[in-house]
Amino acid sequence: MTVVPFPSPPADPAPATVGGESVAAAVDRYLDSVQTKTTRDSYAETLAQLTALAGYRSAAALTPEDYAEVMNRWDTAAAATWNRHLSALTSFTAWAGRQEILATNPGRRLERRKPARRGDRAIPRTRLDKLFTDDRHGLRERVLWRMLYETAARAEELLSLNIEDLDLEFRRGRVTSKGGATEYVHWATGTARLLPRLLRGRTTGPLFLADRRAPTSGSRAPAAADICPETGRGRLSYPRAEYLFKTATTDLDPHSTGWTLHQLRHSALQHLAVDGRTAPELQAKSRHLHLGSLGRYVQLGEQTSAQVTADADPAARRRLR
């Protein structure tokens, strides 16, 4: 007697999308429409949570509860972090509305949070000098830190630099700004002296490289443009660069928490303001579109307060006579 095996049940298919385009497909289309790489990468982190929650469902059926669950991930984060992730959802929602995917706004119950008022975030110049000249730190880090301070550029802009973007003769680099425009940032002698040592004859590929060779396959394999053709190493990531800076500055920070890369930009602009540079000059350096955006960078803080107090001290004036 011939025994006919019972057929195995088919694998469970992916849940069918009912009512139009799925969330996952809509998110992919939206991210493809974002031209600026730094913005696209930032928004992708937020929208990955939305895809994980409701990827196979119809995008048209997204609810305020879905958005609230996504944002719960950052409920205890700083206000700036919360607002950044909410901006990603808001931008996706606006795009989906224009595409006639969403008829209502699932984010209508969510509100931006007001950041706590910050004190003086500028790093004292003497501590920056000590940091920049400390040979215990790697050459790559010292070049990045100096360049961030001397250019007053955003960290994402400099980490995205390729060697082909450098103009060593005129001490400038071509970057893609926050709004997607092509602009130039300018550095000074400190960076100019170190750059040739960092390049070591390389003529193409990312300027700032990771410590290890990049994987060539799998989910962690970077794009070809983010790999050095000579060494096989990938581009240095923002999280890694931030971690190294905070670790290196823990001992210099009076609060022992370490500083952020963004504080180098903040410090550069505030120090220029202290030196008497005008608002239009600061705007040219920072490349802010509006003068009003400079306000939080150039508020003169504790050091200025201390100097004004010392200069106005009657006892000090008597000693000068």
Side-chain angles (χ1 to χ4, degrees), residues 226-305:
D226 291 327
I227 301 176
C228 173
E230 298 180 25
T231 66
R233 291 156 60 189
R235 189 183 302 275
L236 178 64
S237 69
Y238 185 99
R240 178 62 178 168
E242 178 90 319
Y243 168 79
L244 291 172
F245 186 61
K246 287 186 72 72
T247 302
T249 57
T250 298
D251 291 339
L252 295 173
D253 179 10
H255 304 292
S256 299
T257 59
W259 295 313
T260 65
L261 291 173
H262 188 71
Q263 282 180 265
L264 291 170
R265 172 174 166 87
H266 188 112
S267 302
L269 295 174
Q270 186 160 321
H271 293 165
L272 289 171
V274 170
D275 291 341
R277 292 295 183 178
T278 65
E281 287 175 325
L282 294 174
Q283 184 181 26
K285 183 67 175 175
S286 68
R287 296 168 292 115
H288 280 99
L289 292 178
H290 306 288
L291 281 173
S293 303
L294 283 169
R296 65 192 182 100
Y297 289 96
V298 298
Q299 291 177 355
L300 306 185
E302 179 189 356
Q303 286 187 303
T304 302
S305 173

Side-chain angles (χ1 to χ4, degrees), residues 5-313:
F6 191 79
S8 301
D12 291 338
T17 301
V18 178
E21 187 174 17
S22 70
V23 171
V27 165
D28 286 343
R29 281 210 300 132
Y30 164 70
L31 291 175
D32 286 342
S33 74
V34 179
Q35 299 298 315
T36 307
K37 182 180 183 299
T38 53
T39 303
R40 183 169 61 250
D41 292 345
S42 175
Y43 284 5
E45 178 189 358
T46 310
L47 296 175
Q49 301 300 318
L50 182 62
T51 301
L53 173 68
Y56 287 108
R57 287 165 42 196
S58 168
L62 284 170
T63 66
E65 289 73 22
D66 294 326
Y67 273 32
E69 187 168 345
V70 170
M71 291 304 298
N72 277 343
R73 179 181 178 86
W74 298 284
D75 193 50
T76 59
T81 301
W82 167 276
N83 292 339
R84 175 167 59 86
H85 290 291
L86 182 57
S87 293
L89 290 178
T90 301
S91 182
F92 169 70
T93 303
W95 173 87
R98 293 192 298 271
Q99 301 294 314
E100 298 183 351
I101 296 171
L102 284 173
T104 60
N105 178 10
R108 58 186 179 273
R109 299 177 188 171
L110 297 169
E111 295 181 355
R112 293 179 63 84
R113 294 181 176 178
K114 186 176 181 180
R117 185 174 180 179
R118 297 175 178 176
D120 185 4
R121 300 185 66 227
I123 304 170
R125 297 188 210 215
T126 53
R127 295 185 183 177
L128 285 176
D129 290 339
K130 184 176 181 179
L131 178 69
F132 293 157
T133 57
D134 191 340
D135 291 336
R136 292 177 300 173
H137 304 305
L139 176 64
R140 178 190 64 188
E141 276 63 56
R142 286 186 286 126
V143 173
L144 175 61
W145 301 341
R146 273 190 177 274
M147 186 180 282
L148 281 168
Y149 180 71
E150 291 179 359
T151 62
R154 301 174 181 88
E156 297 93 337
E157 294 172 337
L158 296 194
L159 290 171
S160 297
L161 275 174
N162 292 324
I163 297 174
E164 301 94 312
D165 298 320
L166 305 181
D167 184 346
L168 299 180
E169 180 182 1
F170 291 98
R171 297 184 177 182
R172 65 178 187 171
R174 183 178 60 233
V175 300
T176 301
S177 71
K178 194 173 182 180
T182 298
E183 298 176 325
Y184 284 92
V185 296
H186 299 80
W187 54 81
T189 302
T191 299
R193 288 174 175 170
L194 292 174
L195 263 178
R197 293 172 53 192
L198 181 68
L199 296 178
R200 292 181 180 175
R202 291 189 297 123
T203 57
T204 60
L207 174 58
F208 297 104
L209 297 176
D211 297 316
R212 299 178 181 178
R213 290 179 63 88
T216 57
S217 61
S219 60
R220 300 187 64 186
D226 291 327
I227 301 176
C228 173
E230 298 180 25
T231 66
R233 291 156 60 189
R235 189 183 302 275
L236 178 64
S237 69
Y238 185 99
R240 178 62 178 168
E242 178 90 319
Y243 168 79
L244 291 172
F245 186 61
K246 287 186 72 72
T247 302
T249 57
T250 298
D251 291 339
L252 295 173
D253 179 10
H255 304 292
S256 299
T257 59
W259 295 313
T260 65
L261 291 173
H262 188 71
Q263 282 180 265
L264 291 170
R265 172 174 166 87
H266 188 112
S267 302
L269 295 174
Q270 186 160 321
H271 293 165
L272 289 171
V274 170
D275 291 341
R277 292 295 183 178
T278 65
E281 287 175 325
L282 294 174
Q283 184 181 26
K285 183 67 175 175
S286 68
R287 296 168 292 115
H288 280 99
L289 292 178
H290 306 288
L291 281 173
S293 303
L294 283 169
R296 65 192 182 100
Y297 289 96
V298 298
Q299 291 177 355
L300 306 185
E302 179 189 356
Q303 286 187 303
T304 302
S305 173
Q307 187 62 52
V308 169
T309 303
D311 292 345
D313 188 344

